């Protein structure tokens, strides 16, 4: 058993340490045993931050790391350490990158041309077609699709990507230059959530895609894992395309991360179709009621597409239009007339 890898796994498991603190300990410890023998006070002294309230059992942590490494070896799961050549550079550049990634499938995709596609689970028929077609066309152009394997927009984006591959095979066309799809999951690397997407996950791997997580095999999922997953989706691509997303949607959290990382945020015109706007109004009305009784935050109520459009986010009608946008002069898509039209549509519902 490689002790260096065991040290990486042991550090990756410590949720109360930041990325930078894990790097510091990695450089200043000789082995996984050294870490296991440290008390919570020892760790606090090393990183010069009080963490006395954290729960820590070094020996138990080492035991769990050994079990995780065994599962990875048995299941053929690859570990991508932050310093390895296979770790994606774009992700390494974000403020809080994963210290360690677990990967099933082709990890080389993580360093290819990518675009992240996100959206609501309450997708309209127009949104389903938009997500599928955008991903289908992107893959045929050699671009990889990054999404979160959730229900709704994520699922249709992944399906569009694998559909492009299957169609090429059926037509006996070469597949070497096709893009693939990358699923970033919030669960342990050996678990698919939601379970209804297990078949889709199999198709992703069968078509040469990959599934990644920052969570080891057999680890229980926590609610905060979803937000952690969103930051990875935003971090893997130079742009995030939002298909449909009413106020409070988790897809807009991904958009916020993209902006924080100085990446592009782009909206598909499907987000402003009649049905999508109708859904957005219903969701917005419910959020307002929930906010009134203290069930949701003001941020969730106010975090809606209008905010991003006002800040200059462009609107595209398909993948070809997205590519054209990337080559245009800055500001061409953010015309006041276009923005005002969309605001008027929203206000008129």
């Amino acid at each position: 058993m490689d002790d260096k890898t065991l040290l990486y796994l042991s550090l990756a498991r410590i949720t109360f340490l930041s990325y930078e603190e894990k790097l510091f300990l990695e450089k200043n410890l000789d082995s996984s045993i050294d870490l296991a023998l440290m008390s919570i006070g020892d760790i606090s002294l090393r990183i010069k931050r009080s963490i006395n309230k954290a729960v820590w059992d070094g020996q138990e942590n080492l035991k769990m790391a050994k079990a995780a490494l065994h599962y990875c070896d048995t299941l053929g799961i690859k570990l991508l350490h932050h310093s390895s050549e296979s770790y994606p550079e774009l992700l390494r550049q974000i403020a809080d990158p994963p210290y360690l990634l677990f990967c099933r499938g082709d990890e080389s995709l993580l360093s290819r041309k990518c675009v992240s596609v996100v959206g609501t689970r309450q997708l309209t028929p127009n949104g389903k077609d938009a997500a599928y077609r955008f991903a289908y066309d992107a893959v045929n152009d050699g671009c990889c699709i990054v999404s979160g394997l959730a229900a709704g927009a994520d699922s249709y984006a992944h399906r569009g990507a694998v559909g492009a591959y299957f169609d090429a095979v059926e037509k006996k066309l070469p597949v070497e230059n096709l893009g693939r799809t990358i699923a970033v999951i919030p669960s342990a690397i050996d678990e698919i959530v939601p379970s209804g997407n297990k078949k889709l996950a199999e198709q992703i791997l069968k078509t040469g895609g990959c599934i990644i997580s920052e969570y080891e095999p057999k680890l229980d999922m926590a609610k905060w894992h979803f937000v952690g997953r969103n930051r990875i989706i935003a971090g893997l691509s130079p742009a995030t395309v939002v298909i449909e997303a009413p106020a409070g949607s988790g897809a807009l959290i991904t958009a916020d991360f993209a902006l924080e990382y100085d990446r592009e945020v782009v909206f598909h015109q499907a987000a402003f179709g009649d049905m999508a706007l109708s859904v957005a109004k219903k969701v917005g009305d419910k959020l307002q009621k929930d906010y009134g009784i203290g069930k949701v935050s003001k941020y969730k109520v106010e975090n809606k597409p209008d905010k991003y459009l006002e800040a200059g986010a462009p609107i595209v009608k398909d993948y070809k239009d997205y590519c054209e946008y990337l080559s245009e002069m800055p500001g061409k898509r953010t015309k006041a007339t276009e923005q005002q039209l969309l605001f008027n549509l929203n206000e008129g519902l």
Side-chain angles (χ1 to χ4, degrees):
M1 188 174 287
D2 179 9
D3 189 69
K4 202 72 173 175
T5 303
L6 200 53
L7 175 59
Y8 298 158
L9 258 169
S10 297
L11 286 168
R13 300 192 78 258
I14 308 178
T15 57
F16 58 79
L17 291 178
S18 70
Y19 170 75
E20 295 295 337
E21 288 167 344
K22 290 173 185 177
L23 292 186
F24 177 80
L25 288 176
E26 175 194 317
K27 293 175 182 177
N28 289 276
L29 293 173
D30 293 326
S31 70
S32 59
I33 296 294
D34 289 344
L35 177 62
L37 292 174
M38 293 177 75
S39 68
I40 199 74
D42 294 332
I43 296 175
S44 294
L45 286 173
R46 285 290 188 101
I47 65 173
K48 298 180 181 179
R49 177 173 68 87
S50 177
I51 48 174
N52 294 325
K53 292 183 180 180
V55 176
W56 168 250
D57 183 332
Q59 296 291 348
E60 180 64 17
N61 186 66
L62 179 58
K63 177 183 174 182
M64 298 301 291
K66 287 179 178 178
L69 186 55
H70 170 74
Y71 283 125
C72 288
D73 289 341
T74 302
L75 300 173
I77 295 166
K78 300 159 199 170
L79 279 69
L80 309 183
H81 184 249
H82 71 95
S83 66
S84 69
E85 289 185 7
S86 53
Y87 193 100
E89 181 57 33
L90 275 178
L91 188 60
R92 190 184 280 121
Q93 293 171 6
I94 72 173
D96 184 28
Y99 174 77
L100 196 65
L101 282 174
F102 298 88
C103 178
R104 298 171 61 193
D106 185 0
E107 72 275 16
S108 72
L109 301 177
L110 301 173
S111 298
R112 286 181 56 178
K113 180 174 72 171
C114 293
V115 59
S116 297
V117 179
V118 297
T120 180
R121 289 171 173 80
Q122 303 179 55
L123 209 60
T124 68
N126 187 37
K128 292 174 182 178
D129 180 69
Y132 186 98
R133 179 52 57 182
F134 186 95
Y136 188 99
D137 292 344
V139 165
N140 275 310
D141 190 45
C143 184
C144 294
I145 293 294
V146 179
S147 200
L149 201 57
D154 293 16
S155 295
Y156 280 89
H158 290 307
R159 287 172 186 154
V162 300
Y165 181 94
F166 286 136
D167 283 355
V169 171
E170 185 178 342
K171 295 174 183 176
K172 296 181 170 36
L173 297 173
V175 297
E176 292 77 13
N177 295 325
L178 291 180
R180 300 292 194 274
T181 190
I182 300 161
V184 187
I185 59 175
S187 54
I189 186 61
D190 62 330
E191 182 183 6
I192 299 300
V193 175
S195 59
N197 272 347
K198 286 183 178 179
K199 184 176 180 181
L200 178 56
E202 292 172 3
Q203 291 178 329
I204 289 171
L205 296 176
K206 184 177 180 180
T207 57
C210 75
I211 299 171
I212 65 170
S213 172
E214 60 180 324
Y215 308 112
E216 68 192 54
K218 312 303 177 186
L219 186 70
D220 291 338
M221 190 170 68
K223 287 185 178 180
W224 55 269
H225 287 182
F226 288 95
V227 175
R229 180 269 307 272
N230 291 352
R231 89 186 194 287
I232 297 174
I233 293 173
L236 281 170
S237 302
T240 292
V241 177
V242 182
I243 301 298
E244 290 177 355
S249 170
L252 298 179
I253 296 176
T254 307
D256 279 344
F257 278 123
L259 291 176
E260 181 183 329
Y261 306 151
D262 292 325
R263 312 287 169 84
E264 294 274 4
V265 171
V266 178
F267 281 82
H268 196 287
Q269 69 178 13
F272 308 103
D274 291 342
M275 289 184 66
L277 291 174
S278 178
V279 170
K281 185 177 187 306
K282 290 178 183 177
V283 171
D285 289 346
K286 186 178 185 308
L287 283 174
Q288 285 287 359
K289 290 179 181 178
D290 289 344
Y291 174 65
I293 58 176
K295 287 180 65 176
V296 300
S297 66
K298 187 177 181 181
Y299 165 80
K300 195 161 189 176
V301 174
E302 295 181 345
N303 197 33
K304 49 189 176 181
D306 294 11
K307 181 184 80 171
Y308 300 88
L309 297 180
E310 190 173 27
I315 302 163
V316 299
K317 61 184 179 180
D318 51 28
Y319 175 74
K320 181 181 178 182
D321 195 31
Y322 161 78
C323 292
E324 289 176 359
Y325 160 70
L326 294 181
S327 65
E328 289 171 358
M329 291 181 62
K332 183 177 179 180
R333 298 270 171 147
T334 54
K335 297 176 183 177
T337 52
E338 180 182 54
Q339 305 306 327
Q340 192 59 51
L341 172 63
L342 291 170
F343 293 144
N344 290 343
L345 281 172
N346 282 325
E347 291 170 359
L349 289 174

